[in-house]
Amino acid sequence: MNCGIIGLPNAGKSALFNLLTGGGAESSCYPFCTIEPNTGVAKLDDPRLNDLKRLYPSARVTPPAVTFLDVAGLAPGASSGEGLGNQFLSHIRTAEAVIHTVRAFESGRVPECEGSTGDIRGDIELLETELFLADLEIARRRVESGSGNRYWEDARDMLQRRQVPPPDEEGVLITPKPCIRVFNVNSGSAPPVCYTGKEVCIDVLYQLELLGLPETEREVFLNELPGHESGADTLLEKVLGILNRILFFTAAGGKEIRGHIIRDGATVYEAAGKVHTDMQKGFIRALVYNYADLANTGFDMSLLKKQGKIRTEGRDSPVRDGDIVEILFSR
């Protein structure tokens, strides 16, 4: 699963990338410090993973991962060649979702980007306009190429009217992709007036500084931020939600407890393929139980079995969020 991070220059994109991935992307107070794209992996530290160690204390824990791509700031007028233009958007056209970083903080050290309205709603409108124009250019080229695909004609017409077209089969258009806005705020400030509850509010720089603290101390500081989300973990959970993904777990004979990301509604057979292709090819059946049922027993597998909560599932059975899956397969 992969996501692209976009925003106007000096919105805090690269700092957010570093917060999510623990990366070392350059993050400075001047525009376009990011030129070449940065790629990194964020680990989703679901607390259920560590709870499962109560069954297998010596097992190592491997959380699922989400790949993030940080590209250069999209300057107002990029479609006309301002700033670095919009060619770098090609790097995120393969992303499954987009994280739109919005500057919502005050700083005398970090200047507004040239062309900014100085207003949060106005800056959101600026970036969305550039995305529409970039997608419109793609659609026009496809129509002019004479591909004969009716989709691109309809997409062109919709984009000209500032309407979001349905996703294309190749996934190259950005405007139809699921999007989460991250308001980069000052610690202790109220959420922006345009905050609806669907967005995430983070003081990115502050939470980056907290990464150097022990976890217990970090949680104390985070809890002192009323009205703000706790940061990377909350954003990752929202990414799973907009992409209709859930988590299931495997225990690998007690040696490794691993989390896996899969689409909601996927089957046990598909889950087997997520774990290893050999398991999917030789799939026989699966033993499945859910984390919630296990937790209700105090992590007592004998009691869970007595309650009949360990299921034998065939290949077409759906996987539920929190399922622990043991694949039985022929080698």
Side-chain angles (χ1 to χ4, degrees):
M1 192 167 73
N2 60 88
C3 301
I5 302 176
I6 61 174
L8 298 179
N10 285 357
K13 296 180 299 74
S14 296
L16 178 63
F17 171 84
N18 289 338
L19 177 64
L20 289 166
T21 66
E26 184 179 0
S27 177
S28 301
C29 58
Y30 59 85
F32 310 118
C33 72
T34 301
I35 297 178
E36 295 299 320
N38 300 303
T39 303
V41 172
K43 294 181 179 179
L44 183 58
D45 293 321
D46 191 294
R48 293 174 293 186
L49 282 165
N50 286 324
D51 286 346
L52 291 173
K53 277 184 70 70
R54 296 173 64 173
L55 295 179
Y56 309 105
S58 63
R60 68 180 183 274
V61 174
T62 304
V66 179
T67 300
F68 284 92
L69 182 68
D70 167 40
V71 297
L74 190 63
S79 57
S80 302
E82 294 295 324
L84 298 178
N86 62 16
Q87 298 305 307
F88 60 85
L89 287 177
S90 62
H91 295 296
I92 63 168
R93 291 193 178 277
T94 57
E96 296 175 68
V98 173
I99 309 299
H100 176 187
T101 311
V102 181
R103 177 176 176 144
F105 62 87
E106 298 290 337
S107 173
R109 190 173 64 89
V110 182
E112 299 273 1
C113 75
E114 186 175 349
S116 168
T117 65
D119 171 73
I120 294 174
R121 286 194 182 96
D123 283 355
I124 291 172
E125 176 72 15
L126 280 175
L127 186 128
E128 289 182 346
T129 296
E130 292 302 327
L131 293 180
F132 269 102
L133 291 173
D135 277 358
L136 179 58
E137 182 181 359
I138 294 290
R140 282 174 173 165
R141 287 179 180 175
R142 293 298 180 95
V143 172
E144 291 169 2
S145 70
S147 65
N149 188 333
R150 178 69 186 180
Y151 168 84
W152 290 109
E153 294 181 17
D154 293 340
R156 175 201 59 191
D157 296 342
M158 293 184 71
L159 289 163
Q160 286 174 335
R161 297 191 297 267
R162 283 293 296 263
Q163 296 175 346
V164 177
D168 59 288
E169 292 182 356
E170 302 167 52
V172 298
L173 295 183
I174 298 173
T175 51
K177 295 182 186 294
C179 177
I180 296 175
R181 287 199 188 104
V182 173
F183 290 125
N184 189 4
V185 298
N186 294 109
S187 295
S189 64
V193 292
C194 51
Y195 177 73
T196 67
K198 297 179 180 178
E199 305 86 357
V200 180
C201 291
I202 311 175
D203 184 335
V204 176
L205 187 59
Y206 179 68
Q207 294 197 25
L208 259 179
E209 294 171 351
L210 295 185
L211 286 181
L213 298 177
E215 185 175 352
T216 53
E217 292 183 36
R218 184 165 64 247
E219 288 300 321
V220 170
F221 283 102
L222 289 175
N223 289 335
E224 294 176 354
L225 301 177
H228 293 168
E229 306 285 357
S230 60
D233 289 344
T234 300
L235 178 54
L236 289 170
E237 289 172 8
K238 285 186 176 286
V239 168
L240 290 180
I242 65 167
L243 288 176
N244 198 32
R245 299 293 201 275
I246 59 173
L247 297 183
F248 74 95
F249 308 103
T250 53
K255 296 180 179 178
E256 180 187 28
I257 301 167
R258 179 182 286 268
H260 306 267
I261 299 172
I262 199 168
R263 67 175 182 85
D264 194 1
T267 64
V268 172
Y269 182 71
E270 291 174 77
K274 282 284 184 181
V275 180
H276 199 287
T277 53
D278 287 347
M279 290 186 175
Q280 189 175 53
K281 290 176 182 177
F283 182 88
I284 300 173
R285 62 185 181 277
L287 299 179
V288 183
Y289 51 97
N290 194 265
Y291 168 86
D293 294 329
L294 180 62
N296 287 336
T297 68
F299 296 89
D300 186 331
M301 287 294 292
S302 298
L303 180 56
L304 189 73
K305 188 173 183 179
K306 288 179 182 178
Q307 293 176 346
K309 296 295 180 68
I310 300 178
R311 315 184 305 273
T312 300
E313 304 282 22
R315 58 183 289 159
D316 295 328
S317 299
V319 176
R320 298 181 298 164
D321 183 64
D323 274 349
I324 296 96
V325 181
E326 179 184 349
I327 306 297
L328 305 177
F329 65 105
S330 59
R331 298 178 184 273

